[in-house]
Amino acid sequence: DTGVSQNPRHKITKRGQNVTFRCDPISEHNRLYWYRQTLGQGPEFLTYFQNEAQLEKSRLLSDRFSAERPKGSFSTLEIQRTEQGDSAMYLCASSLQDPEGYTFGSGTRLTVV
Amino acid sequence: LAKTTQPISMDSYEGQEVNITCSHNNIATNDYITWYQQFPSQGPRFIIQGYKTKVTNEVASLFIPADRKSSTLSLPRVSLSDTAVYYCLVADGNNRLAFGKGNQVVVIP
């Protein structure tokens, strides 16, 4: 197992387009998290899954954002009608039930032009 | 979630011990104190976690006083590759982590 994998690493899109990111967590981890990080700031929580159930969503997650984890394994984060303000690093992390820390992926850097 | 306060930045010379402080005055009984390290263009990496007193692993030591309102991350003999942002967080281990802006540590040759 090579840790948490995120694809793509970079995405440039035009404003108004839809984008989808994928996260493959560590296989035995049942918890999966999405965070967003802008320049000079710490990561901000977006949403959290335990197995396939989405248990918490941040107010940052507007109606244009949707996340899924259909089989409790990989997860996707979709942003519809992207805006320039969506430009950020999108980080995925996974953990066990009683985590001694999360394992983060390297992130997907989104640039909306 | 309990909020943490850290210095914005600090410099240290290579080979020195670096102590990074964090205040968490509103820490709850169930909260653990966790530290992460982040390099540019990478996700944060877990360093160490503790509840009270002292915790040590192969990378760092974490000192937590009895009142748990603060903590200190100690990095022994830093090298240039330890230049990174260090985040202190408190959480109960069940849900999301709340990151602040972190502490930018720069190691100088």
Side-chain angles (χ1 to χ4, degrees), chain B:
Chain B
L1 293 174
K3 186 177 177 180
T4 61
T5 303
Q6 299 176 248
I8 293 174
S9 65
M10 63 187 298
D11 297 341
S12 178
Y13 286 100
E14 200 172 11
Q16 288 189 332
E17 177 183 75
V18 171
N19 295 309
I20 308 170
T21 60
C22 180
S23 297
H24 26 81
N25 291 319
N26 297 322
I27 190 169
T29 304
N30 294 334
D31 285 340
Y32 285 78
I33 300 154
T34 311
W35 286 78
Y36 284 80
Q37 175 193 55
Q38 187 175 27
F39 299 113
S41 299
Q42 293 188 25
R45 182 177 74 103
F46 171 83
I47 301 174
I48 198 166
Q49 178 174 279
Y51 186 81
K52 61 181 179 181
T53 64
K54 177 183 175 182
V55 179
T56 298
N57 61 22
E58 64 278 6
V59 177
S61 295
L62 178 59
F63 298 91
I64 306 167
D67 66 5
R68 304 200 327 122
K69 292 184 184 297
S70 66
S71 59
T72 300
L73 176 73
S74 181
L75 305 173
R77 297 179 300 282
V78 293
S79 63
L80 298 178
S81 62
D82 292 316
T83 293
V85 178
Y86 291 82
Y87 296 98
C88 162
L89 301 96
V90 292
D92 62 9
N94 285 323
N95 294 305
R96 57 191 167 97
L97 299 176
F99 288 83
K101 292 189 177 182
N103 182 333
Q104 172 68 64
V105 173
V106 176
V107 180
I108 305 165

Side-chain angles (χ1 to χ4, degrees), chain A residues 87-106:
Chain A
S87 295
M89 174 78 85
Y90 289 84
L91 293 161
C92 175
S94 68
S95 73
L96 289 168
Q97 185 78 13
D98 293 311
E100 192 180 77
Y102 296 8
T103 301
F104 280 85
S106 295

Side-chain angles (χ1 to χ4, degrees), chain A residues 32-61:
Chain A
L32 186 147
Y33 309 81
W34 285 99
Y35 283 76
R36 180 175 71 183
Q37 186 173 25
T38 53
L39 198 62
Q41 304 295 318
E44 298 172 290
F45 170 79
L46 292 179
T47 190
Y48 146 59
F49 290 85
Q50 180 157 316
N51 300 312
E52 64 276 9
Q54 188 173 19
L55 296 186
E56 189 175 353
K57 291 167 59 174
S58 162
R59 285 179 232 170
L60 292 174
L61 219 63

